[in-house]
Amino acid sequence: MKSVLRGRRAATAAAFAAVAALALTPQALAAAFDINFDCAGDSPVGEQQFSLQQAADVTAPATVAPGGALDVLIDPGLNTLPSEVNGYTVKRVEGIDLRIPIPANSTFVSADLTGGSNLGPNPPTFTVDGGVATLHLDGPIPGGSEFELPTVTVHLTAGPSGAIETKLHGTSHDDPGLTFTAVVSTIIGDTNVPSRCFPNPNPVLTTTTIG
């Protein structure tokens, strides 16, 4: 009987320890966003203004220890490229760059890209320069077609204190966070329209407290 009681006590203690450990473990927080991009394209008939939308689920831990490792996961949703903008037929989009700042109070370690569909024959790339990461896609993505950007998992190291906030880059058409070339059909034939976009508004996607 004593051995049974000892077994029950040990199991109860283990259960309490597991609950306590779970309570003390930083939990990942996920949020869904519908991001609106305010865009301008340079066409032979003048600047063309338009908007694009992209849904994404973004996940990061609520807290991290000073100097600790953390992952920020950005999972874009399925999207459809417009087949027409301002009366012009969109044939395809190519040379796409989406910029993501490396958050303050953190250091970039590496990134993984997974998934994605209908993005062209070449795999996407992820590079970091001057504290800004760029997700690059050669394309082409045909106008009117469905596509899905790859899921990006960014591995970071936390600084000594403060908060780590994830946002997209871009404040204006002159400081874009998204650039690409659209090939559109016009009365003079297929025409390249270099386009510049910025998130408007540009919300904080995740916040991780260091401590």
Side-chain angles (χ1 to χ4, degrees), residues 13-156:
F16 277 119
V19 171
L22 182 61
L24 294 173
T25 300
Q27 300 298 301
L29 299 179
F33 293 89
D34 290 316
I35 300 167
N36 182 77
F37 287 95
D38 186 327
C39 303
D42 298 324
S43 78
V45 294
E47 184 177 83
Q48 301 293 315
Q49 296 197 4
F50 57 98
S51 63
L52 297 172
Q53 288 74 40
Q54 175 63 59
D57 293 328
V58 189
T59 305
T63 61
V64 64
L70 71 152
D71 291 345
V72 176
L73 187 147
I74 303 172
D75 183 13
L78 187 67
N79 206 340
T80 301
L81 190 70
S83 59
E84 178 269 338
V85 172
N86 296 346
Y88 297 98
T89 299
V90 178
K91 304 290 287 294
R92 62 186 179 275
V93 166
E94 54 197 19
I96 304 160
D97 286 324
L98 176 65
R99 296 175 179 86
I100 307 167
I102 301 303
N105 303 316
S106 74
T107 302
F108 175 78
V109 178
S110 63
D112 300 321
L113 304 180
T114 56
S117 62
N118 197 24
L119 302 176
N122 299 324
T125 61
F126 192 89
T127 57
V128 177
D129 183 30
V132 178
T134 300
L135 173 65
H136 174 78
L137 310 166
D138 286 340
I141 302 174
S145 66
E146 287 189 339
F147 68 95
E148 188 169 6
L149 298 176
T151 297
V152 181
T153 303
V154 182
H155 308 292
L156 302 171

Side-chain angles (χ1 to χ4, degrees), residues 151-171:
T151 297
V152 181
T153 303
V154 182
H155 308 292
L156 302 171
T157 299
S161 63
I164 299 171
E165 294 184 341
T166 307
K167 296 184 71 174
L168 296 179
H169 183 78
T171 58

